[in-house]
Amino acid sequence: MSTLPAPLRHRARLEWEQHHVAMMPLGTLFSAVRIPSRLVVALAGSSDADCLGTFLAEALGGGPVICDPHFSRLYALVPARMPATLHQVADTWRALEVDCLGRGSYLGVPRLDAVKREHPFACYWSVPMDSTGMLCSPLTVARLIAAGKHCLAMEREA
């Protein structure tokens, strides 16, 4: 997070120290796609945290993903400027509780060393962030969501 402006970097360090999560503005360094865990669990065939992390790392090419177990959500970090087409597609996924979060939104970002679920409600990195330059591809995230939607539909029919 060394690319953050100095005041934001200082605030983030304090929040990580005190709360283990820092509220970061989206739409500058990165944005996020909020995905309900059930979509990924349907694809991975498991709700085990390690299994989901391994599945997501492979499916999203190692792009960073934050897990919020309290609300059963995953946040795939994508480039700050998401393509308009992803926003349009995400509008059709609102019923699935998928949302594109960018400028004007904030995301609780766990400490960089929070890679394991240490508390039942604490956010952690399901797929750790190696660098701010390596993010999830919006197209790959969209494909993951589409596959999860299809998988859930197939489960309902069975």
Side-chain angles (χ1 to χ4, degrees):
M1 299 290 173
S2 62
T3 55
L4 289 171
L8 187 56
R9 189 171 52 239
H10 178 71
R11 192 186 88 215
R13 282 187 183 139
L14 284 175
E15 289 179 8
W16 280 324
E17 217 173 86
Q18 295 172 357
H19 310 290
H20 301 279
V21 173
M23 294 304 292
M24 299 280 190
L26 298 176
T28 52
L29 290 178
F30 52 82
S31 289
V33 179
R34 182 176 58 216
I35 306 166
S37 297
R38 70 180 184 279
L39 282 176
V40 179
V41 168
L43 285 170
S46 173
S47 60
D48 176 72
D50 290 335
C51 180
L52 288 177
T54 300
F55 174 81
L56 284 166
E58 185 175 316
L60 298 176
V65 179
I66 295 171
C67 179
D68 179 353
H70 182 69
F71 292 104
S72 298
R73 295 177 177 160
L74 299 160
Y75 295 86
L77 302 188
V78 296
R81 292 183 172 216
M82 283 185 276
T85 52
L86 185 58
H87 284 284
Q88 292 165 352
V89 171
D91 285 343
T92 67
W93 293 333
R94 293 261 186 256
L96 295 172
E97 299 174 30
V98 171
D99 201 4
C100 293
L101 306 172
R103 201 169 288 283
S105 299
Y106 284 79
L107 179 63
V109 176
R111 290 170 31 150
L112 295 176
D113 63 351
V115 294
K116 295 268 186 211
R117 186 174 179 175
E118 295 182 17
H119 183 277
F121 300 116
C123 293
Y124 64 94
W125 292 98
S126 188
V127 181
M129 176 181 265
D130 289 332
S131 74
T132 54
M134 186 175 165
L135 298 169
C136 298
S137 157
L139 179 60
T140 305
V141 173
R143 287 179 177 154
L144 176 88
I145 295 165
K149 178 182 178 184
H150 176 75
C151 196
L152 285 177
M154 296 300 285
E155 285 179 0
R156 285 187 201 117
E157 289 179 10

